[in-house]
Amino acid sequence: MFHLNYISPDSLEELLAVLHLHAGEARLIAGGTDLIPQMRLSRQSPKLLIDSHRLPWVGIAETNGCICLPASLTHSQVLSSPLLKNAYPALVNACQQVGGPPVRNRGTLAGNLANASPAADSALPLLVYDAQIIAARHDGERIIPLNEFYLGPGKTRLAVDEFIREIRMPKTPPRTLAVFLKLGNRQSMAIAVASVALRLSLDELGKVIQARLALGSVAPTPLRAYQAEAILQSNPLSEDTILLAAQAARQAASPISDLRASAGYRRKMVSVLTRRALEMVCTEITHGYANG
């Protein structure tokens, strides 16, 4: 039985004012696909729930070389967006693997990020697409790069009275390829044992000019494998380069053992998934695929 108050503001200004007034006691709820189960298990016990679902819907927007995703954007809405399918396929693929249809229909991208799970599916493609968080509070806004957003399991740089108003992704360069791969203990509705997202942007000669590789479920937070990225940006795409990058990704991981998998298995799977992702991208390059 929950004993708490509930409010559903109909404007961002009202939401931020209430959040500031009840800082430390209130929790924001969008889809509630994680918060409500946590409350049922007595792991969360807010005194006030602030429901954001009545805020005006602004939709996906393009501005100043960026794609802007509103806080209320659900995983299902990501899947139905032609713009995101075309320009950000790794994000769409990750959202396809979030829970089942009821969870995708209610769960939001912003909620998935704010939850700060090391296994958050949508965090990895957003990391490789260089996403930024627009955090709003009663006295203004600030920009937090997603690769600086996480502090630990369940912990972010958001202040207690801040709200993820928007997620921004820069438009990808021409000739960009990206992929998301997830390993779970079953085919669907599984928490990742390990996951990777990869993005490569190529020049006109096929040389990698920008590489991004993100890892999930193998560290306290979703993380970038910077050494592997440097290897990919410094060497021609070859079998040797792929192996070196996969080894560097494995070294970047610091997994734990739990009910889903051992630390050793997770570390090995990081290497396997990274290699597979790179091989998939190389196959697309061979077949002449180019985004843009």
Side-chain angles (χ1 to χ4, degrees), residues 99-131:
V103 171
R104 292 194 291 270
N105 288 341
R106 288 194 58 84
T108 64
L109 276 186
N112 199 221
L113 297 182
N115 185 43
S117 166
D121 291 328
S122 65
L124 300 194
L126 289 170
L127 277 169
V128 302
Y129 286 128
D130 294 330

Side-chain angles (χ1 to χ4, degrees), residues 25-76:
E25 299 180 340
R27 286 296 306 272
L28 282 164
I29 183 169
T33 57
D34 182 77
L35 179 59
I36 297 302
Q38 291 292 317
M39 291 171 61
R40 287 173 176 159
L41 294 170
S42 299
R43 294 175 182 170
Q44 296 275 355
S45 53
K47 295 181 180 179
L48 172 67
L49 284 184
I50 304 175
D51 191 339
S52 63
H53 86 277
R54 292 180 61 205
L55 296 185
W57 169 251
V58 295
I60 299 171
E62 299 183 56
T63 178
N64 298 325
C66 290
I67 303 298
C68 303
L69 309 178
S72 57
L73 188 72
T74 67
H75 302 293
S76 291

Side-chain angles (χ1 to χ4, degrees), residues 4 31 41 46 54 64 85 92 126 146 158 163 166 176 184 193 215 249 273 275 284:
L4 75 168
L41 294 170
R54 292 180 61 205
N64 298 325
K85 286 180 181 178
V92 172
L126 289 170
L146 187 58
L158 285 176
F163 167 69
E166 186 177 273
T176 288
V193 167
L215 314 177
L273 292 174
R275 190 177 71 248
E284 291 190 65

Side-chain angles (χ1 to χ4, degrees), residues 3 9 14 28 44 52 106 124 138 150 153 176 190 208 228 230 252 265 268 274 287:
H3 298 282
E14 182 185 0
L28 282 164
Q44 296 275 355
S52 63
R106 288 194 58 84
L124 300 194
H138 73 290
Y150 295 107
T176 288
V208 176
Y265 179 73
K268 182 177 181 179
T274 299
H287 287 82

Side-chain angles (χ1 to χ4, degrees), residues 173-195:
R175 295 172 293 279
T176 288
L177 305 109
V179 64
F180 171 80
L181 295 178
K182 172 180 174 178
L183 174 67
N185 288 330
R186 56 178 185 249
Q187 291 297 313
S188 62
M189 295 183 12
I191 299 174
V193 167
S195 53

Side-chain angles (χ1 to χ4, degrees), residues 215 217-221 223 249-257 263-264 266-267 270:
L215 314 177
S217 286
V218 293
T221 68
L223 77 157
R250 178 172 178 163
Q251 293 170 0
S254 55
I256 61 170
S257 297
R266 281 191 162 100
R267 191 173 285 109
V270 166

